[in-house]
């Protein structure tokens, strides 16, 4: 081999070294920009020091505060009959000077009692505790509850409320949680919980990295046989997270078909009767029994632990969690109507044409959305309607509003070098910076932790909202630089996941200020974003799998404290196949918010007359159901419940429902099972009592049933004993007559029917009861006598 070839090979090898390093630290796959971070790898790195939570070295029972001694360890390999395993070994400190550091550090540890159902556990791995500043993720300072009673146990401390208890064992240290009946829910994993021959998992620990001496904490809890875990945000993988590794790191997964998420939320619930909120914005990887079936490992990039634990069934836990992080406020009535969109309408003429055709074909609708093309240059956001294609945008907005159409506009927070505002943003320092004070990316990314940036940005949106624009589409927000420097004083490790929350907040607050309404249309989110409704499910594929991922995502987000959510009916990426689009329609219209959006054509009249009828039927169903929808929405805002509701929320004691992910409850009383494949029937699981077909009136028994879809291609059922309020059909919500409401009764065996109504005029929830008296059904009391006439019909 000649010298030249050898030189080339050496050069190629030297270039490949960084790649080999990447491969070794990312599970064999090179890390790509904005990909989810898997924090578990750091907790298997032999160059790191490991500190195992060992014993309670001091504890003040009155304050529920103390210190935990953590023993220093390192990892090594052990060979046994040609199998290499990893074991820890205790380590004598080699730090210098030895007198300056502790071999086995003592961590400050505390328990705060927030409500009778909620407690907070905090632990700090650094001698410099994080500042106790207001948290963007919390709706306010957590309350303090005095109902928890202390009892001294042998070698342990117990605090108990009416709904559960926590026991803190001293040596070896362990925290255990119990429900009100004394059943163990979960506890921390200790070193001694491994058996004598095999090390199954490291115990509750924190690490100090060899690369930079930074610290991260790893709480480890037990899982029980049959335990199910749900939540973690808008996750597109199976709804039960047990057996999965879930990375809580905001990404743009390019659609709801992967394990990455636009809206990860560091919160989950167990079917055993508890929930946990990891109060951090740093990346987290949750190993829910993925690497060891009996353990829940929470790998946190954060150096401190701040964990809220909730006791109760899903409804109770969601209420507690959203009392802490904020409940979704009520969006305006018009937002519950049809949103007509595509990528993209380019002109004023197209806007008028879409409005004219919606009314011509009698498709009820309230919103027309202009996506990326309303600027002079497509995708180049400059907050100005293209003068060449919009001769009088203010008049267009006014004209369309007079016909019942609100306008929604797309924008994003990234500014390319060719954008007219790029230089201004740089000059004013409104962007996220890198270590050199310049740009981490080619684009300038607005730094929403900077109040000056927020003011500059909101001034741009205010001009549009003042023109009459109804809503701003809060697109993207997933790519805040991980290596960026932010005006908050924090780095990207803590600001990346917070970025969507700051972004949502900035748009929602200026919209509320100018319009007086709670409405945005956002794609990315973090814990607390539910305070700024609403969010949609991203760029779904036009496939059955795209539809399945979308439903999973919506259910999972609803299990994470979000009341309102939407998705692109028919999928986004390409022209929706007509057969799939037809099946997707009822799912889309039986979601809190309904938008047809994606690659053209999306408008039903561009398919055929039959499809126009199918689109119209689903839209009309939703508009007639608007009193039910609005009342359910109101209840959701009060209790932290989702409109698109997993069955386990309403039927938590039925073990079957914790894994069902292709059917859902729309509110509390309608069960929807979309057709997930071509055909006109499917198997549906019915929990509780009897259910009545919304379209045919046929009665079904609880359990598994094969059910045929009706004229509207979905299985839609109503609980036995429900009074479902309807309103006369109108082409837009502002034309609805709320003084006349039909109460449509769905009863099989029940002689009583109940329902709720909420009127936009007062936004108060009114409960109604109708009783059968001989051959008549009568309203026992009309709380709106003189204001509303109720007509009672029976399905």
């Amino acid at each position: 081999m000649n010298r030249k070839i050898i030189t080339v090979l050496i050069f190629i090898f030297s270039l490949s070294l960084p790649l080999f390093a990447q491969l070794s630290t990312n599970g064999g796959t090179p890390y790509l920009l904005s990909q989810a971070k898997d924090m578990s790898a750091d907790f298997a790195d032999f160059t790191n020091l490991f500190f195992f939570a060992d014993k309670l070295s001091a504890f003040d029972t009155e304050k529920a505060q103390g210190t935990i001694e953590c023993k220093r360890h390192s990892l090594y390999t052990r060979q046994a009959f040609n199998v290499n395993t990893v074991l820890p070994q205790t380590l004598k400190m080699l730090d210098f000077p030895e007198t300056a550091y502790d071999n086995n550090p003592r961590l400050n540890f505390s328990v705060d009692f927030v409500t009778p159902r909620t407690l907070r556990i905090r632990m700090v791995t650094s001698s410099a505790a994080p500042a106790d500043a207001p948290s963007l993720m919390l709706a306010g300072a957590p309350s303090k509850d005095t109902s928890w009673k202390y009892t001294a146990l042998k070698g342990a401390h117990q605090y108990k409320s009416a709904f559960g208890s926590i026991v803190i064992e001293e040596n070896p240290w362990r925290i255990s949680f119990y429900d009100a009946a004394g059943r163990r829910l979960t506890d921390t994993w200790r070193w001694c919980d491994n058996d004598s021959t095999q090390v199954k998992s490291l115990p509750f620990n924190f690490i100090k990295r060899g690369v930079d001496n930074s610290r991260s904490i790893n709480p480890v809890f037990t899982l029980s046989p049959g335990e199910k875990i749900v939540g973690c945000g808008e996750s597109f993988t199976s709804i039960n997270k047990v057996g999965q590794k879930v990375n809580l790191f905001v990404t743009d997964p390019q659609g709801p078909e992967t394990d990455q998420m636009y809206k990860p939320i560091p919160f989950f619930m167990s079917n055993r009767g508890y929930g946990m909120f990891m109060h951090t914005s740093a990346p987290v990887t949750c190993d829910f029994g993925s690497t060891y079936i009996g353990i829940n490992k929470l790998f946190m990039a954060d150096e401190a632990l701040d964990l809220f634990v909730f006791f109760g069934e899903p409804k109770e836990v969601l209420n507690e969690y959203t009392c802490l992080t904020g409940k979704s406020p009520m969006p305006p009535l018009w937002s519950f109507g049809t949103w007509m969109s595509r990528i993209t309408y380019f002109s004023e003429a197209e806007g008028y044409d879409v409005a004219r055709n919606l009314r011509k074909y009698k498709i009820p609708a309230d919103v027309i959305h202009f996506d990326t093309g309303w600027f002079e240059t497509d995708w180049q956001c400059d907050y100005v309607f293209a003068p060449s294609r919009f001769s009088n945008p203010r008049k267009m907005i006014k004209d369309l509003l007079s016909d019942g159409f609100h306008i929604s506009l797309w924008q994003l927070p990234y500014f390319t070098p060719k954008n007219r505002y790029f230089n201004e943003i740089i000059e004013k320092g409104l962007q996220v910076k890198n270590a050199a004070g310049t740009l981490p990316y080619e684009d300038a990314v607005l730094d929403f932790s900077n109040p000056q940036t927020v003011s500059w940005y909101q001034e741009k949106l205010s001009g549009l909202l003042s023109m009459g624009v109804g809503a701003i589409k809060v697109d993207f927000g997933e790519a805040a630089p991980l290596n960026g420097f932010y005006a908050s004083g924090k780095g990207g490790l803590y600001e990346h996941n917070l970025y969507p929350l700051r972004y949502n907040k900035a748009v929602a607050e200026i919209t509320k200020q100018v319009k007086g309404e709670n409405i945005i249309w956002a794609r990315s989110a973090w814990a607390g974003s539910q305070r700024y409704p609403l969010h949609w499910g991203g760029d779904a594929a036009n496939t059955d799998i795209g539809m399945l991922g979308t439903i999973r995502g919506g259910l999972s987000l609803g299990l994470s404290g979000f009341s309102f959510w939407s998705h692109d009916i028919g999928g986004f990426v390409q022209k929706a196949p007509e057969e799939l689009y037809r099946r997707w329609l009822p799912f889309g219209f039986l979601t809190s918010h309904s938008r047809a959006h994606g690659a053209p054509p999306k408008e039903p009249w561009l398919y055929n007359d039959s499809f126009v009828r199918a689109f119209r039927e689903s839209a009309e169903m939703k508009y007639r159901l608007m009193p039910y929808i609005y009342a359910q929405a109101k209840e959701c805002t009060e209790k932290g419940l989702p409109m698109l509701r997993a069955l386990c929320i309403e039927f938590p004691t039925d073990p079957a429902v914790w894994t069902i992910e292709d059917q859902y409850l729309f509110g509390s009383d309608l069960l929807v099972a979309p057709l997930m494949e071509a055909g006109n029937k499917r198997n549906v699981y019915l929990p509780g009592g009897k259910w009545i077909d919304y379209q045919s009136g046929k009665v079904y028994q609880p359990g598994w049933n094969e059910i045929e879809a009706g004229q509207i291609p979905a299985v839609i059922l109503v609980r036995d004993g429900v009074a479902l309020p309807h309103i006369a059909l109108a082409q837009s919500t502002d034309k609805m007559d709320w003084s006349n409401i039909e109460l449509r009764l769905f009863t099989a065996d029940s002689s009583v029917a109940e329902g709720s109504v909420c009127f936009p005029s007062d936004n108060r929830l009114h409960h109604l009861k109708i009783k059968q008296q001989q051959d008549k059904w009568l309203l026992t009391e009309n709380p709106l006598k003189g204001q509303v006439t109720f007509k009672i019909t029976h399905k």
Side-chain angles (χ1 to χ4, degrees):
M1 188 177 294
N2 63 43
R3 184 185 299 271
K4 186 174 181 181
I5 292 174
I6 292 173
T7 302
V8 170
L9 289 174
I10 292 173
F11 176 69
I12 291 171
F13 179 73
S14 69
L15 289 179
S16 68
L17 284 176
L19 175 59
F20 291 154
Q22 287 184 340
L23 290 172
S24 66
T25 57
N26 290 284
T29 304
Y31 179 75
L32 297 175
L33 183 66
S34 292
Q35 209 172 17
K37 298 290 288 183
D38 183 349
M39 300 313 304
S40 65
D42 284 355
F43 291 84
D45 188 336
F46 283 57
T47 67
N48 296 335
L49 294 179
F50 290 75
F51 297 86
F52 296 172
D54 185 58
K55 65 181 180 181
L56 197 64
S57 52
F59 193 67
D60 183 327
T61 59
E62 187 174 337
K63 295 181 178 178
Q65 296 176 359
T67 55
I68 297 171
E69 183 175 306
C70 297
K71 286 194 173 179
R72 184 181 297 246
H73 290 78
S74 63
L75 301 184
Y76 71 99
T77 55
R78 173 179 179 267
Q79 184 263 328
F81 294 106
N82 299 314
V83 174
N84 283 349
T85 58
V86 177
L87 293 174
Q89 59 186 350
T90 56
L91 187 67
K92 179 172 172 51
M93 180 182 66
L94 299 175
D95 297 348
F96 181 84
E98 185 175 341
T99 55
Y101 306 101
D102 291 324
N103 190 74
N104 298 325
R106 288 173 169 82
L107 305 186
N108 289 328
F109 158 74
S110 65
V111 180
D112 297 303
F113 302 101
V114 181
T115 75
R117 290 191 183 274
T118 302
L119 56 84
R120 182 183 195 180
I121 299 170
R122 286 185 278 188
M123 190 180 297
V124 181
T125 67
S126 168
S127 55
D132 194 13
S135 167
L136 194 64
M137 289 172 275
L138 303 182
S143 58
K144 294 185 182 297
D145 182 70
T146 59
S147 67
W148 294 75
K149 303 303 179 186
Y150 173 77
T151 302
L153 305 177
K154 184 178 179 180
H157 309 274
Q158 180 191 68
Y159 295 89
K160 190 172 185 179
S161 78
F163 302 105
S165 63
I166 175 174
V167 174
I168 305 164
E169 296 178 45
E170 294 179 347
N171 189 11
W173 175 79
R174 176 167 67 178
I175 296 178
S176 299
F177 302 99
Y178 299 85
D179 66 15
R183 184 183 67 140
R184 186 187 64 84
L185 302 176
T186 186
D187 45 36
T188 53
W189 183 260
R190 305 167 300 177
W191 177 247
C192 64
D193 293 325
N194 292 292
D195 64 40
S196 60
T197 58
Q198 297 290 332
V199 176
K200 307 298 187 187
S201 182
L202 299 183
F204 194 117
N205 68 91
F206 78 93
I207 58 171
K208 186 171 76 171
R209 291 178 181 81
V211 68
D212 60 5
N213 278 3
S214 65
R215 296 166 302 281
S216 291
I217 197 161
N218 174 210
V220 183
F221 295 93
T222 57
L223 291 172
S224 297
E227 185 162 1
K228 308 292 191 298
I229 298 287
V230 296
C232 291
E234 190 190 51
S235 174
F236 309 123
T237 56
S238 294
I239 191 171
N240 173 27
K241 300 306 172 197
V242 172
Q244 299 183 42
K245 184 186 283 186
V246 181
N247 295 314
L248 302 177
F249 185 86
V250 176
T251 65
D252 176 359
Q254 309 278 298
E257 298 90 29
T258 76
D259 62 347
Q260 303 200 30
M261 287 183 270
Y262 303 104
K263 308 172 192 66
I265 307 297
F267 166 81
F268 60 86
M269 296 184 289
S270 166
N271 66 336
R272 289 181 67 80
Y274 70 91
M276 291 185 177
F277 169 47
M278 297 160 279
H279 181 214
T280 180
S281 59
V284 177
T285 294
C286 300
D287 182 332
F288 295 116
S290 173
T291 53
Y292 177 60
I293 63 173
I295 294 178
N296 172 11
K297 309 173 190 177
L298 307 177
F299 299 103
M300 298 182 179
D302 205 321
E303 64 179 27
L305 173 68
D306 191 356
L307 182 71
F308 289 87
V309 181
F310 312 97
F311 294 85
E313 294 182 340
K315 279 188 176 182
E316 296 154 347
V317 171
L318 284 171
N319 186 54
E320 292 287 309
Y321 169 69
T322 54
C323 281
L324 189 70
T325 58
K327 289 180 164 56
S328 300
M330 193 72 167
L333 174 65
W334 59 262
S335 72
F336 293 93
T338 307
W339 296 52
M340 194 67 242
S341 177
R342 65 156 65 178
I343 182 168
T344 174
Y345 301 134
F346 284 100
S347 68
E348 188 176 285
E350 283 185 284
Y352 280 118
D353 183 63
V354 170
R356 183 169 54 253
N357 277 298
L358 285 167
R359 297 295 181 244
K360 171 185 172 183
Y361 291 104
K362 297 190 182 305
I363 297 170
D366 275 74
V367 185
I368 295 174
H369 172 71
F370 289 85
D371 214 60
T372 66
W374 62 281
F375 318 108
E376 194 63 61
T377 303
D378 194 13
W379 292 94
Q380 288 297 323
C381 174
D382 63 2
Y383 310 104
V384 176
F385 283 93
S388 64
R389 289 174 274 115
F390 292 85
S391 60
N392 193 337
R394 189 179 296 272
K395 182 178 183 300
M396 178 197 72
I397 293 169
K398 184 179 179 181
D399 289 347
L400 293 179
L401 191 58
S402 69
D403 196 16
F405 293 107
H406 297 256
I407 297 301
S408 169
L409 295 178
W410 177 93
Q411 52 81 71
L412 82 172
Y414 315 145
F415 292 78
T416 67
K418 292 185 178 182
N419 189 287
R420 62 183 287 191
Y421 288 116
F422 181 83
N423 291 331
E424 179 184 342
I425 289 168
I426 303 301
E427 289 165 7
K428 292 182 176 179
L430 306 179
Q431 82 284 11
V432 179
K433 301 174 181 63
N434 64 9
T438 58
L439 295 180
Y441 305 153
E442 287 185 277
D443 296 355
V445 176
L446 291 180
D447 181 358
F448 290 116
S449 76
N450 183 347
Q452 291 179 314
T453 301
V454 174
S455 296
W456 179 90
Y457 173 68
Q458 288 182 332
E459 184 270 330
K460 301 290 184 291
L461 298 186
S462 178
L464 296 166
L465 295 164
S466 298
M467 288 175 64
V469 169
I472 300 297
K473 181 175 174 178
V474 188
D475 206 357
F476 293 90
E478 301 92 359
L482 191 60
N483 62 342
F485 287 71
Y486 294 76
S488 65
K490 295 182 179 180
L493 186 73
Y494 289 88
E495 283 290 343
H496 173 87
N497 284 335
L498 271 186
Y499 193 90
L501 177 54
R502 294 189 186 278
Y503 182 25
N504 296 169
K505 182 175 185 284
V507 182
E509 288 184 343
I510 191 62
T511 304
K512 178 75 171 177
Q513 180 182 319
V514 176
K515 307 291 292 186
E517 295 178 327
N518 300 301
I519 182 70
I520 63 174
W521 191 275
R523 190 172 77 174
S524 56
W526 186 249
S529 284
Q530 72 273 7
R531 302 194 300 265
Y532 313 110
L534 59 108
H535 298 77
W536 99 97
D539 302 342
N542 312 89
T543 62
D544 292 342
I545 289 297
M547 186 176 174
L548 173 62
T550 299
I551 293 178
R552 283 175 170 177
L555 292 177
S556 205
L557 189 66
L559 288 162
S560 306
F562 285 69
S563 293
F564 306 109
W565 175 82
S566 186
H567 50 92
D568 294 342
I569 302 175
F572 172 84
V573 183
Q574 299 175 338
K575 175 185 176 181
E578 183 182 337
E579 188 275 332
L580 172 71
Y581 201 171
R582 282 177 180 266
R583 287 187 282 114
W584 204 312
L585 284 169
F587 167 40
F589 282 101
L590 294 177
T591 302
S592 76
H593 290 76
S594 306
R595 184 180 73 160
H597 176 72
K602 294 302 292 191
E603 302 76 18
W605 51 88
L606 296 180
Y607 280 80
N608 52 59
D609 290 343
S610 173
F611 188 74
V612 168
R613 286 194 297 274
F615 196 105
R616 182 193 302 125
E617 285 170 350
S618 286
E620 288 180 346
M621 172 179 60
K622 183 172 191 180
Y623 275 67
R624 289 191 176 103
L625 279 168
M626 201 60 73
Y628 170 77
I629 292 167
Y630 202 71
Q632 292 290 318
K634 178 61 176 176
E635 184 175 39
C636 287
T637 65
E638 294 178 352
K639 298 181 179 179
L641 295 171
M643 289 285 286
L644 193 90
R645 194 169 303 176
L647 271 60
C648 62
I649 294 177
E650 292 289 332
F651 303 95
T653 59
D654 184 340
V657 302
W658 286 85
T659 57
I660 290 178
E661 57 188 17
D662 62 355
Q663 58 183 79
Y664 60 92
L665 291 163
F666 183 43
S668 60
D669 298 327
L670 277 175
L671 189 148
V672 183
L675 297 176
M676 304 306 299
E677 298 181 85
N680 69 336
K681 59 184 177 181
R682 57 160 291 176
N683 285 318
V684 182
Y685 183 78
L686 304 181
K690 295 180 179 179
W691 293 80
I692 301 159
D693 195 303
Y694 178 74
Q695 299 186 77
S696 71
K698 185 176 178 180
V699 177
Y700 291 94
Q701 301 295 325
W704 285 103
N705 291 263
E706 186 177 64
I707 303 178
E708 246 184 66
Q711 176 70 25
I712 294 174
V715 175
I716 307 166
L717 306 172
V718 187
R719 284 202 213 214
D720 181 19
V722 166
L724 211 58
H726 287 67
I727 199 167
L729 182 64
Q731 291 302 298
S732 57
T733 55
D734 63 329
K735 304 296 193 300
M736 289 179 169
D737 177 11
W738 288 83
S739 65
N740 289 284
I741 300 295
E742 175 192 358
L743 296 176
R744 193 176 300 178
L745 309 186
F746 290 80
T747 61
D749 299 328
S750 178
S751 59
V752 175
E754 297 185 52
S756 298
V757 290
C758 178
F759 296 90
S761 56
D762 66 359
N763 269 313
R764 291 174 54 204
L765 204 56
H766 303 278
H767 298 285
L768 306 173
K769 182 180 282 188
I770 301 94
K771 287 187 175 181
Q772 187 176 24
Q773 296 181 6
Q774 296 179 349
D775 59 343
K776 292 185 178 180
W777 290 85
L778 300 174
L779 189 63
T780 59
E781 184 182 354
N782 184 355
L784 297 154
K785 194 172 183 179
Q787 304 173 55
V788 180
T789 300
F790 290 104
K791 176 186 177 184
I792 299 173
T793 61
H794 194 276
K795 184 66 178 179

